[in-house]
């Protein structure tokens, strides 16, 4: 039976992929220790892997990753919930499955293994028949012959040097630009990041986060007693894709303070999981300066904090659709 390789680092992930033939099917399972359905997915994959004996070189490889421990890899595959399964071959994602539907997982693996077999010619199908072109009868129907001449004319039109002139009608409708739509989206994003003094763009809502990274960041804000607005990027694909380009920050969650981007979970977690980086990370490269500022300034969180440990969503007036009601 094939083994399921537990991947513990980005380096191990890249090394594992480099050892697998490009034609092989790679099954990548994202999980977290706190999500009960992930245990069920592990059992499904173990049973499925038992159906594929090991080969050299392998035709299929099973990998298992902790989505929270390897956030860069998780974000690159757009993992929004766990368990999450990705099937890929030759560096391209073929299919992704969210949840632990055993029948769906089995069907997807068997289907793509079959497709890979076809590409490699490992099937019992007969060879394809040779295709003979049909004689061109369109000219004959119009009173011409297959060599492009016409019975009523002894001349052949040479179009090799033809170039359309300004007076010729257009051959296709003119394409309309999207500059206006882009400007409108950027204007909307500029308003959203200032909807509250502290704005969190996350997957899901504070009461129901849809990824572990968003859940952790909500916990940090609550622990620090910070009042904040939020925006569920899963409910608006235009905002989700637009923020990646406009903010030049490709992953979520994103934390904004005073209309300025702070960053994601990793940046906010620096400095003993303090939100202190909010005001200073953009200006100070040395995080030790940030820590000193917190220790010497008792009112550092005064503008955004309520009682420590009781932070949460800002009032309804600070929320922007599709955010939910305030706590």
């Amino acid at each position: 039976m094939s083994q399921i390789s537990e991947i513990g680092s980005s380096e191990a992930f890249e090394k594992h992929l480099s050892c697998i033939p490009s034609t092989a099917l790679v099954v990548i399972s994202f999980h977290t220790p706190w999500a009960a359905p992930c245990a069920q997915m592990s059992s499904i994959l173990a049973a499925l892997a038992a159906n594929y004996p090991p080969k050299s070189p392998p035709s299929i490889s099973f990998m298992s990753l902790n989505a929270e421990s390897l956030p860069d890899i998780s974000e690159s595959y757009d993992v929004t919930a766990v368990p999450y399964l990705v099937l890929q071959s030759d560096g391209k994602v073929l299919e992704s499955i969210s949840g632990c539907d055993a029948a769906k997982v089995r069907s997807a693996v068997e289907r793509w293994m079959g497709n890979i077999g076809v590409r490699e010619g490992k099937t019992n199908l007969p060879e394809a028949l040779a295709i003979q072109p049909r004689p061109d009868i369109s000219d004959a129907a119009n009173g011409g012959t297959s060599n492009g001449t016409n019975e009523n004319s002894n001349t052949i039109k040479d179009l090799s040097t033809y170039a359309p002139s300004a007076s010729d009608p257009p051959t296709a409708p003119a394409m309309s630009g999207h500059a206006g739509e882009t400007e409108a989206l950027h204007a909307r994003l500029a308003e959203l990041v200032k909807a509250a003094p502290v704005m969190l763009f996350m997957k899901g809502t504070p009461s129901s986060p849809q990824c572990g990274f968003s859940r952790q960041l909500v916990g940090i804000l609550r622990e620090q007693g910070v009042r904040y607005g939020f925006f569920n990027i899963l409910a608006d694909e235009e905002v989700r894709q637009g923020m990646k380009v406009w903010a030049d920050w490709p992953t979520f969650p994103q934390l904004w303070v005073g209309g300025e981007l702070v960053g994601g979970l990793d940046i906010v977690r620096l400095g003993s999981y303090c939100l202190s980086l909010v005001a200073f990370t953009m200006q100070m490269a040395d995080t030790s300066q940030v820590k000193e500022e917190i220790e010497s300034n008792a009112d550092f969180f005064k503008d955004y904090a309520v009682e420590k440990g009781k932070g949460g969503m800002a009032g309804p007036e600070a929320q922007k659709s599709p955010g939910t009601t305030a706590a």
Side-chain angles (χ1 to χ4, degrees), residues 163-191:
S165 64
S167 60
D168 289 340
T171 58
M175 297 295 292
S176 58
H178 298 284
E181 297 178 6
T182 301
E183 291 179 1
L185 174 60
H186 288 180
R188 181 187 177 199
L189 297 178
E191 292 182 359

Side-chain angles (χ1 to χ4, degrees), residues 33 79 155 194 251:
V79 178
T155 62
K194 298 179 181 178
T251 60

